[in-house]
Amino acid sequence: MRRPELGFRKLLRFPSAPPGSTPGTLAADPLAARSYLSVLAYGPQSVDIVVDANATASSMGAVLPRIKATLGTAPVVWINVDGLADLALIEGLGEMLGIDRLGLEDVLNTRHRPKFESHDGYEFAILRTASYEKHRFETHQVSLFFGAGFVLTFHEQGSTYLEPVRDRILKNRGKIRKLAPDYLAYAILDCCVDHYFPPLSSLATRLAEYDDELFTNPCEDFIQRVRETRGDLVTFHGIILPTRDIVNRLITEQRGRITGATRPFLRDCLDHVLQVIDHLDSLRASSSDLMNHHHTQMAQRLNETMKVLTIISTIFIPLTFITSIYGMNFDYMPELRKTWGYPAVLGGMFLAGSFMLGFFVKMGWIRLPGASGRRARLAAARQER
């Protein structure tokens, strides 16, 4: 079982092809997940599971001819690949459907931001799924090709989030079996966008917890956790903005591969994308506010501490002055030889300190324990009168 990649380890990975390789050189990532293939061929009246979802690379030699024979006989053929370890399968599907090798190279390089390309025989889009589990935000690449009679999808990880789409096809729910491949491409895109809302809700809940913690007793790593969450929001924002551009490109597509029946649904998908963007902007502003409030609280606490220390130092200034005078031990200081000299000096020091403390309390610069409660009781008594 492959070890999941976290943090910067995944960001530092580069394509497996050697530097300077010919454009279109295909190289599978040695850490890529095992490839599984599923193929559905359907139309208004029937659906055929051409290849079961458990088919692996060992059976590809017999499966590819079956897929080729199915193309053109059914209105829509959906070819789905989970995992990108099987380079021969990816090359075989690309050759069968006329996919450019540069596009297949983009499929294998899973660090792409979402994008859209229009080719002579097909449309190509790179999407990214999002998840937020155990306080960790992750994205995975989805490559989508669709053209006359086919839809081809490659998933960096599993495609379990598309089970509602498969269920609609198998049980003939909605319009999906009655419309062209562009509607299936829309359904996959819309399902991907809809799955942005759960991690968005989790991030919002996380920030709400931080907000409650901020005004109670924030831990030492509070600011670090807020910064990590803000980084997740920035990453999320970086995939949703190009996704908006993809949907806009599909709505305004001029080659005729997007039918009039699908465009209203794409506009609805665009509304969902814009909702995600609005919520992300709000959460990013909230995370900035949390950081600013935390810094303000820290500065306020420091100011309170400095004020108390300054007051204590101020009270001790006259006391230090008095003790420094009588610490000189000159022979002709008459108070040193008087019986009442020591208690008189102590009394003077006590009176000086008490006077300064009372003055500070009267000015409201410091508050003695219980003073706020007494003030509240006095205010309540005045209101009753």
Side-chain angles (χ1 to χ4, degrees), residues 115-132:
K115 68 173 185 177
F116 177 80
E117 295 177 359
S118 183
H119 296 263
D120 290 338
Y122 58 90
E123 307 292 335
F124 172 41
I126 287 182
L127 311 171
R128 298 204 72 87
T129 60
S131 63
Y132 188 77

Side-chain angles (χ1 to χ4, degrees), residues 321-342 345:
F321 175 72
I322 295 173
T323 55
S324 64
I325 291 178
Y326 288 97
M328 293 187 292
N329 296 321
F330 289 136
D331 288 338
Y332 299 103
M333 295 180 68
E335 296 87 349
L336 295 178
R337 300 186 184 277
K338 299 294 183 180
T339 305
W340 47 265
Y342 178 67
V345 171

Side-chain angles (χ1 to χ4, degrees), residues 91-164:
E91 284 187 299
L93 291 173
E95 292 176 1
M96 181 175 60
L97 297 173
I99 304 298
D100 188 273
R101 291 183 68 88
L102 291 175
L104 297 179
E105 184 181 14
D106 290 340
V107 170
L108 294 171
N109 179 11
T110 57
R111 298 181 299 109
H112 276 287
R113 70 195 297 268
K115 68 173 185 177
F116 177 80
E117 295 177 359
S118 183
H119 296 263
D120 290 338
Y122 58 90
E123 307 292 335
F124 172 41
I126 287 182
L127 311 171
R128 298 204 72 87
T129 60
S131 63
Y132 188 77
E133 298 177 357
K134 298 180 179 179
H135 305 315
R136 183 176 295 277
F137 180 77
E138 293 184 347
T139 69
H140 297 103
Q141 181 168 301
V142 179
S143 303
L144 170 66
F145 300 85
F146 68 96
F150 77 91
V151 174
L152 173 63
T153 50
F154 293 98
H155 298 267
E156 180 184 358
Q157 299 293 327
S159 60
T160 55
Y161 71 99
L162 292 179
E163 287 303 323

